[in-house]
Amino acid sequence: MEACLIAFIAGNLVANNFPILFSNNELLVTFIVLSAAIILRQRIFASLLAGLCSVMFMQSLNHAGTIGFISKPVQVNVLGYVSSIPEKSMDSTKFNFVVLCQSEVNLVKHWSAFNCQQLFYQINSSIRLSWYKKAEELKQGQVWALKVKLKPPSGFVNEAGFDYKKWLISESISATGYVVNGSLVKDQTSIRQHWFQQLVEQTRHLDFQDLILALAMGERQLMSAARWLTLKKTGTAHLLAISGLHIGLVFVWLWLFCRIIFRLLVFMTNLVSANKIIQKPRKSVNPDFYAILLALAGAWMFVGLTGFALSAIRAGVFLTVLSVCWLLATRMSWRLRFLLATAVVLLIFPLSPLSISFWLSFGAAAAVISLLWSSQFILTLGPHSTAKVKREFTTVMASKIMPFIFVQVGLLLLLLPLQVVLFQHISIAGLVANLLAIPLVSLFILPCVLLACILFLFNWPLAGWLFEVANLLLEILWAFLTYCAEFKYAYLSLPAQSLSFWSALALGLLLLLLPIGRIYKLPLLLIVSLLFWPANKKGWYLHILDVGQGLAVIVEHQGEAIVYDTGDAFSSGFNLFEAVVEPVLIKRRLQVKAIVISHNDKDHAGGLKYIHHHYPEVPIFKGALACNSINTKKWLALNWWAYSWQVSGLEAVKSNNRSCVIRVGSEKHSVLLTGDIELLAEQQLLQRVDVNYYASDFMLVPHHGSKTSSSEAFIQAISPHSAIISRGRYNRFNHPHKDVIERYRKIGIDIYDTAQHGQISLYFNDAQAAQISYQLQGFWLPWHRKVNQGDLFLTSD
């Protein structure tokens, strides 16, 4: 059975990283082969195919939903309900919306006459919307008729940072977009929305209201960007995101409480029976049986309190399978129970491996089970415990602190490899912070918050006191986290070839375990070491990051970096420097020497506020005088030339033409960074500057490919081998313009585009030709990373 479960899980993981998705006909053929394998009793092969089909079938259902498959931006009319508590910011409201049906009819005006019907094979699609209209009071549970502009799930594709597209797909969100207009069909509020509003009022006076609400209901909309940054730096953000840890803790606490109560009841019953003269025979009652049932029911109630978030549901299913195995008193090993629970979760939610939370939650569960099993703690919970094991357990528990330290430290160490693979670095501050944060939250803060919520439901005054206690404990914890966040070396980054290193290590360990002689193992280990040995590249890099409709460039040489532009920032506090640029700097272990801002537009200088606060020692070059001073710099042992047009009058109001144009290069290779210059600045550059100063091998297409830039004379003067466009997918400006693309193609220049290729990296070494690589390349590119047809060059008339 273990082999079949492992095969099913392996099939699911392969399917989630497969280059293509099966069509309906291909899926039907696979089902036929699966049926034949079952008939022929090829169980392992059948399990592998079942795991493969689960992912393909789920995506087929999503494509056949009420929204269907969207390959490019569309405007549709939909009828549905708000499925999440809206997250309100300064200029917009974000929320999840379940689409019951869509129509060509304008539902905003004619929804009352519309009959909402679905085909039998359709499921309700979930979409993620923004409404740039503060007057509308959206609430969870309301039914709305909306006119929306939708686009396929998309995100930034870089070598590090959060993959928003994978998260959307893992959450089965079919599309994202914004509301054009809408009409309220039914004004109803969910119980969860009502309770959330009541808790907001009850905790309004508390300093850590946002953290309390995050722990109680998984809602983080009241949390400030600064507070979230501290959690991220200290690696404790997982404690505030409702996941398997929280569901498991609720289950354990309820199980312990119910177990004690039931044992007391049994003891009192036996005591009363012992005082009677005549005792009637009665069946023995196992208090653990009912304690498990009640704890499981309480855990699912908490899942409902979180709004049935997928991460919480996965944890609930996992606990349910483990509990059922325990209640049935099966003689299954804990390894088999873990595999069975994981397989059931993947069967119900096949796209879960696309979510980082899945790996963290199930990795932590595997680590805890392994640690408890190794110390024989878990054996005391089963119905087949022996007296010897109980005596050993009592002996171990004589020291109250040692078991806890063993599990705590062991959990941190066992999760380090997973953290390396997922984040390409280890948070030193996180290792220290979690030693206090995990036990404090698990043993004290979370129980206080949840008990306070239960008492608040019955209007008991004790609830307010418990909220105060939780707030005091959070104040102590926050002081410690703030101290940890100030560590100078918060991250231990790994080399860019870390994945190759860990792959070689895993393969080497596998070779050592093979039943072959040492005389064969040593040559094989030598071959593996040579294959995965990191190349010693002495040249320099230039990375054009995928930051959507904006620009961010990193010039790298021998562990040092110059950043040219920072990407955009938004009123919610989200900025692309923190989300994209900084993770790449951390992963590649780069020290920032200077930051150059081409001009003041927000999509180029949006990260300045974050940089001023978190990189106060890094010099910032901004403006014409600072730009011209770059000519004297010898950063990274490279040649730097800069030019900024001195304008006055009406043209000075428009900052695009004042962009700082930079040419960076070595003896044989160079790149021209053009910012957002337009035709006037291009003409002045051609007239006033010798072409030898700015002619380059590669160039950044000015102004994201706008028709106001990239004149033919300017392109021919630079005469690059390749041109690179930095722009957002489905951007509202329709960049790049078709005429601009034709100009480059007419001259025979290759075009690379961050919307099509993701992060684009150039490697230069004077001893060889320049090398260009990008994230969206390779034969085995997973299907969820493939670009849609709508990601191709957008054109405008």
Side-chain angles (χ1 to χ4, degrees):
M1 187 177 180
E2 283 190 17
C4 292
L5 292 174
I6 293 174
F8 176 82
I9 295 170
N12 179 280
L13 297 180
V14 169
N16 274 298
N17 292 278
F18 213 62
I20 60 172
L21 282 172
F22 288 170
S23 64
N24 291 335
N25 292 334
E26 292 169 336
L27 191 57
L28 179 61
V29 171
T30 308
F31 273 122
I32 295 174
V33 176
L34 172 61
S35 302
I38 294 175
I39 294 172
L40 296 174
R41 296 185 178 182
Q42 300 296 321
R43 297 183 180 87
I44 296 178
F45 181 64
S47 301
L48 185 68
L49 287 180
L52 188 72
C53 289
S54 64
V55 176
M56 306 298 179
F57 182 69
M58 176 57 69
Q59 276 303 94
S60 296
L61 286 179
N62 290 337
H63 286 175
T66 50
I67 288 295
F69 177 71
I70 298 175
S71 61
K72 59 182 180 180
V74 294
Q75 184 169 289
V76 295
N77 301 294
V78 296
L79 184 70
Y81 62 90
V82 181
S83 60
S84 66
I85 295 178
E87 304 169 13
K88 299 179 182 180
S89 61
M90 294 291 293
D91 58 352
S92 66
T93 301
K94 296 183 183 296
F95 59 99
N96 290 350
F97 190 78
V98 174
V99 179
L100 302 176
C101 54
Q102 63 168 315
S103 174
E104 299 295 331
V105 180
N106 189 344
L107 298 179
V108 176
K109 296 181 179 179
H110 308 289
W111 60 265
S112 58
F114 179 73
N115 185 17
C116 187
Q117 294 181 344
Q118 295 179 210
L119 299 176
F120 72 94
Y121 58 84
Q122 284 184 325
I123 60 174
N124 296 329
S125 298
S126 180
I127 57 180
R128 180 75 172 167
L129 295 175
S130 298
W131 198 335
Y132 299 96
K133 188 177 181 181
K134 295 177 62 177
E136 301 293 350
E137 285 296 328
L138 285 169
K139 295 180 181 178
Q140 186 181 31
Q142 290 178 333
V143 180
W144 285 82
L146 302 175
K147 177 182 287 186
V148 295
K149 188 72 175 287
L150 298 179
K151 62 182 180 180
S154 62
F156 307 120
V157 184
N158 298 282
E159 62 180 285
F162 180 64
D163 194 330
Y164 186 56
K165 181 179 180 181
K166 280 180 63 176
W167 178 82
L168 290 172
I169 296 175
S170 71
E171 296 286 316
S172 295
I173 295 178
S174 303
T176 61
Y178 62 90
V179 178
V180 178
N181 53 45
S183 175
L184 181 62
V185 176
K186 187 181 293 184
D187 190 6
Q188 59 187 19
T189 304
S190 67
I191 297 176
R192 184 169 180 267
Q193 174 79 60
H194 177 73
W195 202 6
F196 176 75
Q197 293 173 344
Q198 294 295 321
L199 283 178
V200 169
E201 291 298 324
Q202 173 71 18
T203 59
R204 188 175 298 277
H205 65 287
L206 300 177
D207 295 334
F208 294 92
Q209 177 196 35
D210 51 348
L211 301 185
I212 291 174
L213 291 174
L215 285 169
M217 302 187 67
E219 293 295 330
R220 296 176 293 179
Q221 56 183 278
L222 299 181
M223 193 178 302
S224 65
R227 184 159 287 180
W228 177 251
L229 180 62
T230 301
L231 292 171
K232 189 179 76 170
K233 277 191 170 183
T234 55
T236 53
H238 64 97
L239 296 175
L240 276 302
I242 299 298
S243 61
L245 173 65
H246 300 76
I247 308 300
L249 287 172
V250 170
F251 177 84
V252 170
W253 277 111
L254 287 174
W255 174 76
L256 289 173
F257 176 77
C258 294
R259 191 166 183 258
I260 293 172
I261 295 297
F262 281 129
R263 285 189 178 275
L264 286 175
L265 289 176
V266 170
F267 174 77
M268 295 299 296
T269 303
N270 293 334
L271 187 63
V272 172
S273 300
N275 294 329
K276 294 182 179 179
I277 300 176
I278 301 175
Q279 298 184 15
K280 294 182 179 180
R282 55 184 179 81
K283 295 181 180 179
S284 60
V285 178
N286 184 1
D288 290 342
F289 181 87
Y290 298 100
I292 286 285
L293 288 180
L294 289 176
L296 194 60
W300 276 106
M301 289 179 63
F302 185 54
V303 172
L305 183 62
T306 65
F308 291 100
L310 279 182
S311 58
I313 296 177
R314 286 196 298 259
V317 171
F318 184 85
L319 283 173
T320 301
V321 175
L322 291 182
S323 299
V324 169
C325 291
W326 191 94
L327 293 174
L328 295 177
T330 58
R331 293 183 178 273
M332 297 169 58
S333 66
W334 280 96
R335 180 177 59 190
L336 182 57
R337 296 183 191 189
F338 175 81
L339 291 174
L340 178 61
T342 304
V344 171
V345 169
L346 292 181
L347 181 63
I348 302 174
F349 307 104
L351 302 177
S352 294
L354 298 180
S355 171
I356 291 179
S357 65
F358 167 83
W359 292 99
L360 293 175
S361 296
F362 281 73
V368 169
I369 289 176
S370 299
L371 291 167
L372 292 176
W373 174 82
S374 64
S375 58
Q376 296 185 344
F377 292 167
I378 204 68
L379 296 178
T380 63
L381 306 180
H384 306 288
S385 301
T386 63
K388 179 180 178 181
V389 172
K390 290 183 178 180
R391 285 195 302 270
E392 292 177 355
F393 177 74
T394 305
T395 302
V396 174
M397 287 301 293
S399 174
K400 299 292 184 181
I401 195 67
M402 289 307 296
F404 173 76
I405 294 178
F406 173 76
V407 174
Q408 177 91 350
V409 176
L411 183 61
L412 289 175
L413 294 178
L414 288 177
L415 288 181
L416 281 181
L418 186 61
Q419 185 177 359
V420 168
V421 173
L422 294 177
F423 305 110
Q424 294 85 44
H425 67 265
I426 298 171
S427 174
I428 302 299
L431 293 177
V432 177
N434 276 285
L435 288 174
L436 176 65
I438 290 179
L440 193 58
V441 172
S442 304
L443 302 179
F444 301 101
I445 297 176
L446 184 61
C448 276
V449 170
L450 294 181
L451 185 58
C453 289
I454 295 173
L455 297 178
F456 175 72
L457 182 64
F458 297 99
N459 293 320
W460 286 15
L462 184 60
W465 182 80
L466 287 174
F467 278 129
E468 294 283 354
V469 172
N471 188 75
L472 177 62
L473 294 174
L474 284 169
E475 184 177 356
I476 297 172
L477 175 61
W478 198 254
F480 178 69
L481 294 182
T482 304
Y483 171 76
C484 293
E486 298 300 325
F487 284 1
K488 184 177 181 181
Y489 301 101
Y491 301 102
L492 176 60
S493 301
L494 298 172
Q497 301 86 2
S498 59
L499 187 58
S500 299
F501 169 77
W502 288 104
S503 301
L505 180 61
L507 190 55
L509 292 174
L510 181 62
L511 288 174
L512 290 175
L513 295 175
L514 289 178
I516 57 178
R518 295 181 182 177
I519 191 172
Y520 299 105
K521 290 180 181 179
L522 292 177
L524 287 175
L525 286 173
L526 180 60
I527 294 174
V528 168
S529 301
L530 293 176
L531 288 176
F532 287 94
W533 194 265
N536 185 19
K537 294 189 175 183
K538 297 182 179 181
W540 58 284
Y541 292 87
L542 188 139
H543 310 281
I544 298 92
L545 305 183
D546 180 12
V547 292
Q549 191 65 17
L551 180 64
V553 178
I554 297 176
V555 184
E556 169 193 348
H557 186 217
Q558 295 182 350
E560 296 181 337
I562 302 295
V563 176
Y564 178 81
D565 284 347
T566 67
D568 208 343
F570 304 91
S571 58
S572 62
F574 177 80
N575 69 89
L576 273 303
F577 185 90
E578 178 188 355
V580 174
V581 182
E582 189 175 50
V584 174
L585 293 171
I586 291 172
K587 185 204 170 184
R588 302 188 71 87
R589 298 190 300 177
L590 299 177
Q591 180 184 4
V592 181
K593 303 299 292 183
I595 293 174
V596 179
I597 302 299
S598 64
H599 61 300
N600 289 326
D601 282 6
K602 191 167 65 72
D603 59 329
H604 293 251
L608 280 181
K609 182 178 179 181
Y610 179 86
I611 292 169
H612 281 306
H613 187 267
H614 298 282
Y615 295 83
E617 73 285 354
V618 177
I620 297 174
F621 291 78
K622 176 183 174 185
L625 294 177
C627 176
N628 292 328
S629 69
I630 295 176
N631 290 306
T632 62
K633 304 298 180 184
K634 292 296 180 181
W635 291 325
L636 315 184
L638 298 174
N639 300 321
W640 296 81
W641 173 86
Y643 179 81
S644 179
W645 183 23
Q646 301 294 327
V647 293
S648 58
L650 293 177
E651 188 57 36
V653 178
K654 194 171 185 179
S655 64
N656 285 345
N657 280 326
R658 304 184 69 175
S659 295
C660 182
V661 179
I662 291 180
R663 180 183 185 268
V664 55
S666 54
E667 293 299 324
K668 294 187 178 181
H669 302 290
S670 60
V671 183
L672 187 69
L673 306 175
T674 55
D676 275 356
I677 60 171
E678 298 180 346
L679 296 176
L680 289 176
E682 292 177 1
Q683 292 172 3
Q684 192 195 57
L685 193 62
L686 293 173
Q687 294 171 0
R688 299 189 181 182
V689 180
D690 190 332
V691 69
N692 292 323
Y693 283 100
Y694 55 80
S696 303
D697 303 320
F698 295 85
M699 72 173 290
L700 189 70
V701 174
H703 201 186
H704 319 289
S706 168
K707 65 179 179 181
T708 61
S709 306
S710 296
S711 62
E712 188 170 346
F714 184 65
I715 299 172
Q716 288 179 340
I718 300 172
S719 188
H721 300 304
S722 303
I724 301 167
I725 303 172
S726 177
R727 55 108 178 180
R729 295 171 185 81
Y730 323 114
N731 65 84
R732 60 190 179 93
F733 307 102
N734 285 334
H735 292 158
H737 195 275
K738 63 179 181 180
D739 293 341
V740 172
I741 299 300
E742 281 301 315
R743 289 179 206 144
Y744 284 95
R745 287 176 173 169
K746 179 181 177 181
I747 303 175
I749 298 173
D750 295 330
I751 301 176
Y752 295 88
D753 177 12
T754 57
Q756 296 183 44
H757 301 101
Q759 174 186 329
I760 300 168
S761 297
L762 307 174
Y763 171 69
F764 302 102
N765 189 328
D766 289 346
Q768 61 188 61
Q771 299 176 15
I772 185 167
S773 61
Y774 46 92
Q775 290 296 307
L776 296 178
Q777 69 178 357
F779 168 74
W780 198 269
L781 189 67
W783 57 266
H784 50 79
R785 276 210 156 192
K786 300 280 188 181
V787 294
N788 300 315
Q789 191 65 27
D791 285 331
L792 301 180
F793 291 125
L794 300 177
T795 60
S796 58
D797 297 330

